[in-house]
């Protein structure tokens, strides 16, 4: 069983940080405790480790991450030999390995290391660590023939030195050659080979990185604008019409600071989205007047305007030598890198080959990873009615970069594009629809009028109703133009789900629409229902909520063990409220004899084994309940919020269940990650009918 994975290369410039980040993502899906070890390190901050630490909330002491610096390693190898160097690094590695389930090892970088035969050193270290190896071959600027030869030779080199090669990666290959290389490498080697194309956005510096490298003054711009990738450079010296014709999406405009016409023209083009630019860099230490800067700020809020003292030619020389780097300050690049790796590498197959130790713990991060992976496995289209909302746009960017699902954004198209441009967000081929002007509005009005004719709704009235983004989005789902909908970041719960009740309606197998929250605790995920929809369900409805919640839990990898909560456990109490829960329990058992269900039961007896042993000894559910059904909305809503705040749990939801097609509501305080998770859940709900919970659980 593999305990560590060693990502290495054969030369510098292979861009293996994409692979290292992708493997870390894969490992953290499987186990809770992942350590990082870099045998040799240069002076200065380790950008990749800082990114891993920030992104995956690593608690590892940075002092344990590194073996030694290159200078000391070179001296030790020269004075005492390779064996002494390897022995010292092995000792350092085991200090990390003893504390973690699996260790990601970051191989040497072949950059000014002064180490002879670096490939052999990496191979030996991998063997001494007991690590499996993923060699990465850089293909940037190389022909297909060269990439093919280097990949085969790299495999032979590491295999010949006794390494357990998990997979080969040919990275940064020319996009035009990618499919040919992948086809020709298929079945040529005894291990999987993944071919990843070059992605310009990863090597493009951000505006903030440019400002730092040039020592530029930031005249205008916010953090979001400074985080934009500069995908190219356009030098302005000609008249404005000629400059506008030369602008390209994501370019940085470089112009003398006294050309106010070019500054304003570039920002006006950006504001119109034709095209969105990364920013403006002014040379010659010339700064426009305050009036011009005020106009610029109003034209394109947040768009960076920088100023440097040099002229355009030396500035250009320095710009063309800059290359973007993955680090903690570039989360967008990290999303792009992960999306690239997950698209071109068989992460499911690679996970099986890694064979990391299985863990019974399910951390919030592991749960979130699995949501994205499950949604990505069978991509669906989700419509987001709040297309001009900043958080929704940021979430859309993450979803698109990670390839989680296809998206439709609703709202005035020009406003969506302008807002996205101001935020530096590339929406790619995302579908944008304005319900007010859409050609679908007439047909939707007719369909809605027919559905609500019994309420006296005419086509004329329906024409106004369907211009509402939530009604329009719900009709898209109903008509199969989208697979699910997520709204609520700026709309009330009623505004989000009322159209679903009117148009999509309840699933024939459900008597009621209800909701659950996934409560992600430190080491497990619990399902709480119903905490958002039904104020006081009767016994029949409560039984249906329990069955729906079990099905939802199983669909998302939580084995359903259902606790029907009450203030009394077993037969110890009586009263109308307890009797309702007791009746609901019996109804649920009669309908689904395959489910593990207990009730009435108190919360402590449901989740704490020591209490369960006293109150309900021998129960299959008590002490280990995973699905907790509350008797009413007051109890459920207060409990989930109390646990969320006092226990630091992450609450994902509410997730609606019982509708014929998925529609989900957001909290108006939803964070970007909350929106990402809810969209992923919606996409998964749309993938097809859930399997029988007992069947699902038996396969895990």
């Amino acid at each position: 069983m593999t305990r560590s994975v060693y990502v290495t290369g054969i030369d510098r410039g292979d861009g293996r940080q994409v692979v290292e980040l992708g493997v870390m993502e894969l490992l953290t899906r499987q186990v809770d405790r992942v350590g990082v070890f870099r045998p040799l390190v240069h002076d200065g901050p380790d950008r990749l480790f800082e990114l891993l630490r920030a992104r995956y909330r690593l608690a590892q002491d940075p002092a344990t991450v590194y073996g030694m610096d290159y200078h000391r390693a070179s001296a030790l190898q020269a004075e005492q030999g390779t064996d002494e160097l390897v022995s010292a690094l092995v000792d350092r590695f085991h200090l990390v390995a003893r504390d973690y389930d699996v260790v990601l090892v970051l191989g040497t970088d072949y950059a000014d290391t002064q180490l002879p035969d670096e490939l052999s050193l990496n191979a030996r270290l991998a063997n001494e660590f007991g690590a499996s190896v993923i060699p990465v071959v850089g293909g940037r600027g190389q022909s297909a023939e060269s990439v093919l030869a280097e990949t085969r030779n790299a495999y032979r080199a590491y295999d010949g030195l006794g390494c357990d090669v998990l997979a080969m990666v040919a990275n940064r290959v020319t996009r035009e050659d990618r499919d040919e290389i992948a086809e020709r490498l298929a079945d040529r080697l005894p291990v999987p080979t993944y071919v990843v194309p070059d992605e310009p956005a990863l090597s493009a510096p951000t505006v903030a990185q440019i400002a730092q490298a040039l020592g530029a003054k930031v005249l205008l711009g916010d953090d979001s604008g400074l985080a934009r990738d500069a995908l190219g450079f356009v030098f302005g010296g000609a008249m404005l019409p000629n400059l506008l014709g030369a602008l390209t999406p994501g370019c940085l405009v470089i112009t003398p600071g006294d050309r106010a016409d070019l500054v304003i023209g570039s920002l006006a083009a950006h504001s119109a989205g034709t095209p969105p630019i990364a920013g403006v860099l002014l040379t010659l230490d010339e700064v426009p007047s305050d009036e011009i800067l005020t106009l610029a700020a109003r034209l394109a809020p947040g768009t960076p305007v920088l100023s440097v003292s040099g002229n355009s030619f030396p500035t250009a020389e320095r710009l063309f030598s800059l290359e973007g780097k993955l680090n903690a300050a570039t989360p967008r690049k990290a999303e792009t890198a992960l999306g690239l790796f997950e698209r071109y590498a068989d992460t499911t197959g690679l996970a099986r080959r890694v064979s990391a130790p299985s863990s019974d713990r399910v951390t919030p991060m592991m749960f979130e990873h699995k949501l994205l992976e499950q949604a990505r496995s069978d991509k669906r289209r989700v419509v987001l009615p709040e297309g001009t909302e900043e958080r929704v746009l940021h979430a859309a960017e993450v979803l698109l970069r990670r390839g989680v699902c296809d998206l439709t954004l609703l709202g005035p198209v020009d406003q969506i594009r302008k807002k996205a441009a101001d935020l530096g967000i590339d929406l790619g081929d995302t579908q944008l629809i304005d319900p007010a002007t859409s050609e679908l509005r007439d047909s939707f009005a007719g369909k809605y009028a027919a559905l609500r004719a019994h309420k006296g709704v005419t086509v004329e009235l329906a024409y106004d109703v369907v211009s509402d983004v939530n009604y329009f989005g719900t009709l898209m789902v109903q008509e199969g133009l989208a697979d699910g909908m997520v709204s609520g970041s700026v709309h009330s719960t009623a505004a989000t789900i009322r159209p679903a009740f009117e148009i999509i309606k309840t699933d024939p197998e459900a008597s009621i629409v209800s909701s659950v929250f996934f409560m992600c605790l430190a080491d497990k995920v619990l399902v709480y229902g119903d905490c958002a929809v039904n104020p006081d369900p009767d016994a029949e409805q409560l039984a249906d909520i329990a069955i729906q919640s079990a099905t939802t839990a199983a669909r998302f990898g939580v084995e359903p063990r259902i606790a029907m909560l009450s203030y009394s456990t077993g037969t110890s109490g009586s009263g109308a409220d307890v009797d309702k829960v007791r009746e609901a329990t019996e109804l649920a058992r009669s309908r689904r004899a395959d489910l593990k269900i207990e009730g009435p039961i108190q919360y402590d007896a449901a989740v704490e084994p020591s209490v369960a042993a006293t109150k309900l000894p021998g129960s299959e559910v008590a002490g280990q309940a995973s699905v907790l059904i509350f008797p009413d909305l007051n109890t459920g809503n207060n409990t989930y919020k109390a646990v969320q705040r006092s226990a630091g749990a992450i609450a994902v939801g509410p997730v609606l269940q019982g509708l014929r097609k998925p529609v989900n509501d957001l909290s108006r305080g939803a964070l970007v990650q909350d929106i990402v998770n809810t969209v992923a859940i919606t996409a998964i709900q749309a993938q097809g009918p859930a399997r029988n919970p007992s069947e699902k659980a038996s396969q895990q």
Side-chain angles (χ1 to χ4, degrees):
M1 181 173 289
T2 300
R3 183 170 171 77
S4 56
V5 179
Y6 197 119
V7 181
T8 183
I10 62 171
D11 202 352
R12 63 185 304 178
D14 52 29
R16 86 183 73 144
Q17 294 85 358
V18 171
V19 181
E20 292 165 334
L21 185 62
V23 172
M24 186 67 174
E25 182 88 0
L26 182 152
L27 294 175
T28 55
R29 292 175 192 166
Q30 297 178 276
V31 296
D32 178 26
R33 298 180 305 152
V34 181
V36 178
F37 184 67
R38 189 187 288 281
L40 299 173
V41 64
H42 293 284
D43 291 334
D46 185 337
R47 290 186 295 265
L48 183 66
F49 175 67
E50 291 304 317
L51 169 61
L52 297 178
R53 183 165 66 163
R55 184 177 183 86
Y56 300 104
R57 301 188 281 277
L58 302 182
Q60 183 178 353
D61 181 353
T64 68
V65 172
Y66 310 112
M68 65 182 71
D69 64 55
Y70 281 102
H71 178 75
R72 181 184 165 199
S74 178
L76 180 61
Q77 186 176 34
E79 293 169 8
Q80 301 184 41
T82 301
D83 288 349
E84 288 298 321
L85 171 60
V86 170
S87 177
L89 294 176
V90 168
D91 288 344
R92 292 284 294 175
F93 167 78
H94 284 298
L95 291 175
V96 176
R98 71 185 183 186
D99 293 330
Y100 294 93
D101 299 320
V102 64
V103 179
L104 172 63
V105 185
L106 313 175
T108 66
D109 60 12
Y110 296 84
D112 302 321
T113 61
Q114 300 176 340
L115 294 171
D117 200 1
E118 207 163 331
L119 188 151
S120 294
L121 177 61
N122 279 295
R124 180 165 177 191
L125 289 174
N127 291 336
E128 297 289 353
F129 296 166
S132 294
V133 177
I134 301 178
V136 182
V137 173
R140 194 174 200 186
Q142 295 195 50
S143 67
E145 291 296 337
S146 177
V147 174
L148 289 164
E150 286 204 2
T151 304
R152 291 194 293 262
N153 288 338
Y155 171 78
R156 293 190 188 102
Y158 280 100
D159 181 64
L161 291 167
C163 293
D164 172 28
V165 180
L166 276 179
M168 297 294 302
V169 180
N171 190 37
R172 303 183 85 176
V173 304
T174 304
R175 282 194 173 269
E176 293 75 15
D177 293 338
R178 188 265 158 199
D179 291 345
E180 177 192 348
I181 293 170
E183 183 179 350
R184 292 177 63 182
L185 280 174
D187 302 322
R188 295 288 183 90
L189 297 175
V191 297
T193 302
Y194 309 126
V195 182
V196 182
D198 195 24
E199 173 51 62
L202 288 177
S203 56
T206 64
V207 179
Q209 289 171 335
I210 290 172
Q212 182 179 19
L214 299 182
K217 299 174 187 174
V218 180
L219 304 178
L220 296 175
D222 57 19
D223 290 342
S224 180
L226 290 167
R228 298 177 192 173
D229 296 322
L231 300 177
F233 305 111
V234 173
F235 292 85
M239 299 299 292
L240 180 59
N242 293 327
L243 174 70
L244 294 178
L247 297 180
T248 56
C251 70
L252 182 70
V253 176
I254 296 103
T255 182
D258 57 0
R259 291 296 304 270
D261 59 328
L262 302 187
V263 174
I264 296 300
S266 299
L267 295 176
H270 170 86
S271 179
T274 54
I277 64 174
V280 178
L281 175 62
L282 306 177
T283 60
L284 301 178
D285 208 18
E286 291 279 348
V287 177
S289 66
D290 289 344
E291 292 80 6
I292 293 295
L293 288 177
T294 300
L295 176 59
R298 290 177 178 171
L299 270 176
T303 297
V305 176
L306 313 179
S307 174
V308 294
S309 57
N311 63 38
S312 297
F313 183 73
T315 300
E317 283 189 312
R318 297 176 68 186
L319 285 174
F320 285 121
S321 66
L322 287 178
E323 185 167 338
K325 301 293 183 183
L326 285 170
N327 59 43
T330 58
R332 287 163 139 175
K333 287 187 184 295
E335 299 294 351
T336 299
L338 286 169
L340 196 67
F341 184 78
E342 290 161 345
R343 178 178 177 184
Y344 292 101
D346 176 11
T347 54
T348 302
L350 186 57
R352 286 195 298 266
R353 292 180 64 81
V354 168
S355 300
S358 60
S359 172
D360 293 332
R361 289 166 55 87
V362 180
T363 66
M365 186 180 298
M366 292 168 70
F367 183 70
E368 290 175 354
H369 289 342
K370 288 176 180 176
L371 285 181
L372 300 190
E373 185 178 26
Q374 193 173 344
R376 192 185 300 112
S377 68
D378 183 11
K379 286 179 69 173
R380 299 291 161 150
R381 178 172 292 278
V382 178
V383 58
L384 305 178
E386 298 159 328
T388 58
E389 165 59 28
E390 181 173 329
R391 290 166 294 161
V392 170
L393 287 168
H394 280 301
E397 181 182 37
V398 173
L399 292 160
L400 293 169
R401 290 188 180 218
R402 297 294 299 277
V404 174
C405 60
D406 296 319
L407 295 174
T408 298
L409 300 182
L410 301 184
V413 173
D414 288 344
Q415 289 185 31
I416 295 174
R417 286 187 175 137
K418 183 178 186 305
K419 187 70 172 180
D422 289 341
L423 296 171
I425 292 172
D426 179 8
L427 292 175
D429 58 358
T430 299
Q431 185 181 40
L432 306 180
I433 297 177
D434 184 352
T437 59
S438 171
E439 60 186 16
L440 293 169
R441 186 175 177 182
D442 286 333
S443 64
F444 279 3
K447 294 178 188 302
Y448 181 71
L451 285 170
R452 304 295 290 172
H454 64 288
K455 293 291 187 179
V457 175
T458 64
V459 172
E460 291 75 16
L461 178 59
Y463 188 76
D464 291 333
V465 171
V466 302
S467 66
D468 176 89
V469 288
N470 284 314
Y471 275 92
F472 192 94
T474 304
L475 281 158
M476 287 189 68
V477 176
Q478 174 67 12
E479 295 302 306
L481 301 175
D483 299 300
M485 184 181 92
V486 174
S487 187
S489 67
V490 292
H491 288 92
S492 68
T493 294
T496 298
I497 66 176
R498 184 186 297 114
F501 289 160
E502 294 179 2
I503 297 166
I504 293 176
K505 300 182 179 178
T506 306
D507 190 297
E509 296 184 3
S511 65
I512 192 172
V513 174
S514 62
S515 72
V516 296
F517 278 89
F518 290 98
M519 302 299 294
C520 302
L521 304 174
D523 59 352
K524 60 186 172 183
V525 176
L526 300 178
V527 177
Y528 283 9
D530 173 7
C531 304
V533 179
N534 298 288
D536 188 18
D538 59 27
E540 183 90 14
Q541 293 169 330
L542 203 58
D544 197 41
I545 291 169
I547 292 169
Q548 289 180 27
S549 300
T551 301
T552 299
R555 174 175 288 180
F556 291 94
V558 177
E559 181 181 354
R561 295 183 294 272
I562 308 164
M564 306 292 286
L565 298 176
S566 175
Y567 61 77
S568 172
T569 294
T571 58
S572 65
S574 61
D577 292 337
V578 179
D579 291 342
K580 178 180 81 168
V581 175
R582 184 175 289 115
E583 182 184 352
T585 303
E586 294 306 318
L587 285 170
R589 281 175 175 157
S590 67
R591 295 175 187 172
R592 289 291 304 277
D594 58 302
L595 291 176
K596 296 176 181 178
I597 184 167
E598 191 70 70
I601 186 172
Q602 291 161 290
Y603 192 100
D604 58 349
V607 300
E608 176 52 49
S610 62
V611 177
T614 301
K615 294 190 174 183
L616 279 177
S619 170
E620 289 186 295
V621 173
Q624 53 182 341
S626 59
V627 179
L628 297 110
I629 305 302
F630 295 92
D632 54 60
L633 185 61
N634 180 54
T635 308
N637 192 269
N638 279 296
T639 302
Y640 108 74
K641 289 181 177 177
V643 172
Q644 180 185 31
R645 298 301 177 187
S646 61
I650 295 176
V652 179
V655 178
L656 296 185
Q657 50 192 16
L659 289 168
R660 288 186 297 159
K661 296 184 178 183
V663 171
N664 282 308
D665 181 38
L666 296 165
S667 161
R668 273 172 279 185
L671 303 176
V672 171
Q673 190 59 45
D674 298 330
I675 300 172
V676 170
N677 289 339
T678 304
V679 172
I681 284 172
T682 306
I684 294 166
Q685 288 179 307
Q687 287 174 349
R691 285 186 271 184
N692 182 299
S694 60
E695 174 192 347
K696 173 82 175 177
S698 69
Q699 296 181 7
Q700 294 176 356

